[in-house]
Amino acid sequence: MRRTGSALAWPALGKSLGVAAILAFALFPAYWMFSSAVDVDAARRGATLIPTDLTLDHFVRVLDVGGFGQFMRNSAIVALGTVLISAAVALLAAVAVARFAFTFRRAVLVLILIVQMVPLEALVIPLFLQAKNLQMLNSLLGLVIVYLAFSLPFAVWMLRGFVAAVPKEVEEAAYMDGASWGRMFWAVLLPLVAPGVVATSVFSFITAWNEFIFALTFLQDADKYTVAVGLQRFFGQNTADWGAVMAASSLITVPVVIFFVVVQRRLASGLTAGAVKG
Amino acid sequence: MTTSTARVAPIVPRGSAPDAHRRRAARRRAVRPWVLLAPTLVVLAVLLLWPLVRVVDLSFQDFGLRELVSGESNYIGWANYAAILGDSYLWTVVLPNTVGFAACCVVLTVGLGTLVALFLNILGTFWKTVCSTAIMVAWAVPAVTGTYVWIWLFDPLNGLVASVLAGLGIIEPGTVNWYTDRLGFYAIATLNVVHHGFPFVAITVLAGLLTVPKELYEAATMDGAGAWRRFWQITAPMLKPVFAVVTILSTIWDFKVFTQIYLMPGGNGGNAEVFNLGVWSYIQSFAQGKYGMGSAIAVLLTGILLVITVVYMRTLFKEEDL
């Protein structure tokens, strides 16, 4: 009898088919995006699995005519602003919850977890009205500020895992050598959690780079659009310039995919530290 | 007078100086975490808690474009809620869309993610790395651009799916528009959201699988347990907390899917049959200018998510001591 189900008994063919299925399902949309972006006539001759007539015209069109370079710059400014502020603020909070025992510590953790469930639709209405009053609509700075609302709780939660992973003895040794708390933070703790800060920052960057609903609501002039909103410019009343949309989508996606793949290991460990170990 | 007080200070008996020092150090230790937390708490209060209070406040007002200009308030009590809850549109369209869609997405995301994790776990290092990098790419593709790819794949005129089906003679080219049909619309949205969401489940479950001792499986295999029984009797109980977390997180995310629904044809106001709670709230506020009504819908959505979150918290805190 065949040893059904034993891990060792998995036939090589089954494994190959499984790998092929996963690769196809996971990668096909991204492949289709890039292949449409370089296909000469993506819209008219839609279903060419392997484009033979390649061109960069779609990219030239979105960058030159569509002003997509400006959208990329705006997104980069907003995302970098969000990253710098949230990394600094979140690291302090992460140290507090990971290193200090204090009353309400648990309450703070619950608060940080619970605010992540708040739907953006609930925040966007009051924040839109407030930004309008403060004349912060149509401003990239206004967008950076509201992005802190959701990048910060996640950053605290993830960094907390990285800070907790640094052995306490390292800190104690620094104290024994007569270091002050501030010095210990800068000279000992910060270098050790730096990889975690990088992974968390990449994630905050991506969240801000991808954000749609606030950008859609807050930004009014085309010269302020971020990439997520700017994409809509390539849609007409009833038609879409799919070659341009896919070229622009590729430009948005490439940096995110590169970042993601580079930090995937740390990202996974940070997430599981947050999700599994509480 | 200050000078004399200052001079008095050194007269304090020497023995208590270290005490005072220690007390000051203790106070500094007690205050320090709050100093570190202060910026975060301020941001959360101003950008999350205050807007939440404000959205509840708005939900009791007839806040429209006139109030937006004048800045005045116009309280109408529970009228917005009465209007929403009394409207059959909520019960026959929006709620089924929101709940049905979320339920399908969660089951498929967690199911597929778990299958992929179990499969990756039996692969050698090389192919495991290749596959997990590929699913990272699926995860990394932004919601906006990912959604446009799915729209383009199912484009009624030139999309790949339409062309292939037309080529096979199943449909007449350009005659079928899946987006105008509620089920077709949500089938495409489900495919999109599951594709974007399963990597998180797969990566998390895979990390959990690595913590299960191999000896358990070996012993079970010796006893003649097949893969099905090994999964339900070893993997599932051992990874219960992991499954609880990924299921509840997916539920929260899938209840508030906005970008994917809003961007699909008809989703941004063209087809009221396909709205979910989030899109309905947004359209009421920003397309119709009924901010009060939109707020009431947003409060309803937040309430549902809050209940799910409380369940999430209880799962998390029962399993682990923070």
Side-chain angles (χ1 to χ4, degrees), chain A residues 5 25 36 43 105 117 217 278, chain B residues 47 152 158 195 230 282 309 322:
Chain A
F25 182 66
S36 301
R105 177 175 165 277
M117 70 85 200
T217 317
Chain B
L47 293 175
W152 168 219
N158 299 306
H195 182 265
R230 286 202 307 267
Y282 192 85
T309 309
L322 279 170

Side-chain angles (χ1 to χ4, degrees), chain A residues 5 25-26 36 42-43 46-47 89 93 103 105 113 116-117 125-126 129-130 145 149 160 210 217 235 253 256 271 278, chain B residues 34 40 47-48 50-51 68 119 133 139-140 142 145 148 152-153 158 163 195 230 256 258 282 285-286 309 313 317 322:
Chain A
F25 182 66
S36 301
V89 172
T103 337
R105 177 175 165 277
L113 269 178
Q116 296 185 60
M117 70 85 200
I125 301 170
L129 298 178
Q130 189 61 52
I145 294 171
R160 164 188 164 272
N210 293 349
T217 317
F235 287 86
T253 306
V256 180
L271 274 175
Chain B
W34 293 106
T40 299
L47 293 175
L48 275 153
W50 177 84
L68 183 67
F119 180 72
T133 305
W139 192 2
T145 59
Y148 282 136
W152 168 219
L153 278 168
N158 299 306
S163 303
H195 182 265
R230 286 202 307 267
K256 53 178 185 180
F258 177 83
Y282 192 85
S285 307
F286 295 100
T309 309
M313 293 294 150
F317 285 100
L322 279 170

Side-chain angles (χ1 to χ4, degrees), chain A residues 75-76 79-80 83 200-210 255-256 259:
Chain A
S75 277
L80 281 176
V83 164
T200 310
S201 297
V202 165
F203 211 77
S204 302
F205 184 93
I206 291 170
T207 323
W209 179 267
N210 293 349
V256 180
F259 277 149

Side-chain angles (χ1 to χ4, degrees), chain B residues 265-314:
Chain B
N268 61 358
N271 184 1
E273 282 287 296
V274 299
F275 293 174
N276 63 7
L277 276 171
V279 171
W280 191 29
S281 162
Y282 192 85
I283 299 285
Q284 284 289 327
S285 307
F286 295 100
Q288 314 274 342
K290 297 178 186 164
Y291 296 92
M293 184 69 88
S295 298
I297 301 166
V299 170
L300 192 65
L301 174 61
T302 312
I304 297 174
L305 290 168
L306 190 65
V307 172
I308 302 172
T309 309
V310 168
V311 178
Y312 174 40
M313 293 294 150
R314 294 187 55 159

